């Protein structure tokens, strides 16, 4: 074997080792970045879902005003029973699309598993000066241990369980 043959073999194996190191580095980088990428994609998905949910609920509300007035009638009746403000917890509040149906003098407590709705609720309630926003709880409805039993006058929930078929319409 000549000296040229051993030099070519060394260069070839060094290039292969460098290639393997670069490939390993790329795989490691993708692995380390995968969690932030997943989080960013999930955040975008939630924001898009929020917009579509609000848009869908507003379409439903426009076409079913009489049914919604009837649905919220117990809220109005409860308000007539008490002279002070009515403490209302809305489960799955979204962006507050139900605010037009609340009677005057309600203290609104919001419960939603997605914290991205908090800013939307706070902005939307400004359009309804007859309501007072009290607190946003970011939690699933299955755990409301942080709310004292008997501290609220009424609990409402609308369009919380959205069927998969609804998403397919968009």
């Amino acid at each position: 074997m000549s000296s040229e043959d051993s030099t070519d073999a060394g260069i070839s194996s060094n290039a292969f080792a460098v290639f393997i190191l670069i490939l390993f580095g790329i795989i490691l980088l993708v692995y380390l970045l995968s969690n932030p990428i997943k989080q960013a994609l999930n955040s975008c998905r939630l924001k898009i879902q929020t917009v579509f949910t609000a848009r869908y609920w507003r379409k439903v509300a426009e076409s079913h005003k009489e049914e919604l007035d009837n649905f919220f009638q117990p809220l109005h009746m409860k308000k007539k029973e008490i002279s002070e403000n009515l403490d209302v917890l809305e489960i799955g509040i979204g962006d507050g699309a139900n605010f037009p149906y609340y009677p005057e003098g309600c203290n609104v407590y919001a419960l939603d598993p997605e914290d991205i709705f908090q800013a939307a609720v706070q902005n939307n309630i400004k359009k309804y000066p007859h309501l007072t926003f009290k607190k946003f709880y970011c939690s699933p409805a299955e755990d409301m241990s942080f709310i004292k039993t008997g501290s609220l006058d009424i609990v409402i929930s609308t369009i919380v369980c959205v069927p998969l078929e609804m998403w397919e319409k968009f």
Side-chain angles (χ1 to χ4, degrees), residues 28-73:
L28 182 62
L29 184 64
V30 167
Y31 174 77
L32 292 174
L33 291 177
S34 65
N35 197 31
I37 290 170
K38 286 178 189 175
Q39 289 175 345
L41 289 173
N42 192 39
S43 176
C44 288
R45 180 191 60 81
L46 287 173
K47 288 178 182 174
I48 290 169
Q49 186 176 354
T50 301
V51 170
F52 282 119
T53 301
R55 184 178 296 163
Y56 177 77
W57 180 242
R58 293 195 193 292
K59 285 181 183 177
V60 169
E62 289 169 9
S63 61
H64 297 283
K65 181 164 178 19
E66 186 176 330
E67 291 94 334
L68 282 168
D69 285 338
N70 290 335
F71 178 83
F72 283 93
Q73 200 59 26

Side-chain angles (χ1 to χ4, degrees), residues 130-161:
H130 68 285
L131 305 176
T132 304
F133 180 71
K134 290 294 188 175
K135 185 148 177 95
F136 186 95
Y137 299 103
C138 183
S139 174
E142 292 83 3
D143 178 22
M144 292 191 281
S145 59
F146 45 83
I147 299 174
K148 184 180 172 190
T149 302
S151 64
L152 300 165
D153 297 310
I154 197 161
V155 177
I156 62 171
S157 182
T158 60
I159 202 164
V160 173
C161 298

Side-chain angles (χ1 to χ4, degrees), residues 94 114-123 133 135-138:
E114 304 298 341
D115 63 350
I116 60 172
F117 287 113
Q118 184 170 1
V121 167
Q122 289 173 329
N123 285 333
F133 180 71
K135 185 148 177 95
F136 186 95
Y137 299 103
C138 183

